[in-house]
Amino acid sequence: RSLPRDLVRVTDPRQVEVGDVYLKPGSPGHAMIVVDLALGADGRTPPVTLAGTDPGAYLRALARSSAEVALLLCKPPGVMVTARDERGRRTVYDVLRDAGAPVPPDLRYVGRLDYDSEGLLLLTTDGQLAHRLTHPRYHVARIYEATLDRLPPARDLDRLRRGITLSDGSTAPADLEVVRREPPVVRITLHEGRNRQVRRMFEAVGLTVSRLMRVRYGSVELPSRLKRGMWMEMPEAEACALAGLPPPQPSRQQDERAKRPVKLHRTQPR
């Protein structure tokens, strides 16, 4: 593509894409590639970073722009799982950016957690992976630990296990286990994901959830060392295994990266 205008003044992210190659007018052979479209400090203007004419830099930039990203975040409470909140509340993308995490424009979250809930949140740029993890037909298990205001009687646990009628229909059968009696903590396994489903299920039998944490999504368990507000990269091979997809064929650069020990990153509290 030809360079349509001075890229410094581009303000509409739809005009350019990561991986686009631009030929500089009047300079044959001078090619540049867009390698970053992260939102600016104002949340709107996308600073555009270009790699120069060096073939090695071009190829490295192209590899970075095409590599998939998969992250695990231990979401803290009081954070929205959305790209942008109309009320100006902090989002999971703010948490990641503050910690220096890679946040490409197409990074999407896998399964929501409400504002007050916490725990395991997966984010990925792989659309096929996100689809396999969230579509109801694949029945991927989500496991939560709910701290309740009182210990539920056996009859209420049985009702929840069989399925209970909510405002948006009956819930699918669920697994429930009391893991602690004081304060009462119940572990619940769901194979569907509705808005505030766990809280509404317990409310339907007269119980109040004071704390809700997701501890597992499919085969991925929240690591004990991944504390509230911390994130880590998830190997794409592990993510593909989680979704039942064939493992990716890594490039040499990605293969070397996979051999490095996994790093945990702590966000900086505001």
Side-chain angles (χ1 to χ4, degrees):
R1 294 167 60 173
S2 296
L3 190 65
R5 64 172 74 180
D6 183 357
L7 283 180
V8 175
R9 292 199 295 267
V10 171
T11 57
D12 186 351
R14 292 173 296 182
Q15 294 179 354
V16 292
E17 296 179 359
V18 172
D20 282 352
V21 177
Y22 292 89
L23 301 178
K24 185 176 181 180
S27 300
H30 188 112
M32 295 178 291
I33 181 171
V34 180
V35 296
D36 186 21
L37 278 176
L39 291 178
D42 59 2
R44 295 186 300 274
T45 306
V48 178
T49 303
L50 299 175
T53 57
D54 175 62
Y58 168 82
L59 293 175
R60 289 192 296 273
L62 184 60
R64 287 196 301 271
S65 68
S66 61
E68 300 293 358
V69 174
L71 305 178
L72 301 181
L73 171 69
C74 184
K75 175 195 173 296
V79 172
M80 294 294 295
V81 181
T82 184
R84 187 173 300 154
D85 183 60
E86 295 180 353
R87 296 166 55 184
R89 291 172 293 184
R90 200 169 183 223
T91 73
V92 291
Y93 295 98
D94 295 325
V95 172
L96 292 171
R97 288 192 185 97
D98 288 349
V103 186
D106 54 346
L107 184 69
R108 66 185 72 182
Y109 46 83
V110 177
R112 287 179 178 269
L113 284 172
D114 65 44
Y115 182 75
D116 294 317
S117 297
E118 57 188 292
L120 181 64
L121 182 68
L122 284 71
L123 302 99
T124 183
T125 57
D126 190 323
Q128 185 180 14
L129 173 61
H131 174 75
R132 290 290 294 263
L133 292 176
T134 56
H135 198 283
R137 67 186 288 189
Y138 298 110
H139 304 288
V140 177
R142 295 96 155 154
I143 302 180
Y144 304 82
E145 290 187 354
T147 303
L148 305 173
D149 58 337
R150 59 185 175 84
L151 189 67
R155 65 177 181 276
D156 288 341
L157 293 176
D158 289 339
R159 288 180 60 195
L160 295 170
R161 290 187 181 105
R162 292 192 301 267
I164 196 166
T165 302
L166 302 177
S167 59
D168 53 354
S170 298
T171 63
D175 296 326
L176 285 91
E177 176 189 3
V178 177
V179 296
R180 192 169 63 199
R181 303 181 69 85
E182 186 58 41
V185 176
V186 173
R187 181 173 296 161
I188 178 171
T189 303
L190 303 179
H191 295 273
E192 56 183 347
R194 304 189 199 178
N195 183 39
R196 300 184 70 255
Q197 181 174 347
V198 175
R199 295 182 185 275
R200 292 191 295 137
M201 287 175 67
F202 283 112
E203 288 170 1
V205 294
L207 297 167
T208 300
V209 177
S210 60
R211 183 187 183 193
L212 183 62
M213 172 177 282
R214 182 157 61 199
V215 296
R216 192 179 182 97
Y217 199 109
S219 61
V220 178
E221 190 169 2
L222 179 66
S224 59
R225 58 186 178 140
L226 196 68
K227 305 301 182 184
R228 179 185 292 179
M230 298 179 69
W231 66 275
M232 61 182 285
E233 292 188 47
M234 179 180 180
E236 190 180 0
E238 183 178 341
C240 290
L242 167 64
L245 299 173
Q249 298 300 317
S251 64
R252 180 177 179 181
Q253 181 181 6
Q254 291 172 320
D255 189 52
E256 290 297 323
R257 186 179 181 182
K259 294 177 182 178
R260 302 172 189 170
V262 176
K263 293 183 179 179
L264 301 181
H265 306 266
R266 183 179 299 276
T267 58
Q268 297 297 322
R270 290 185 171 181

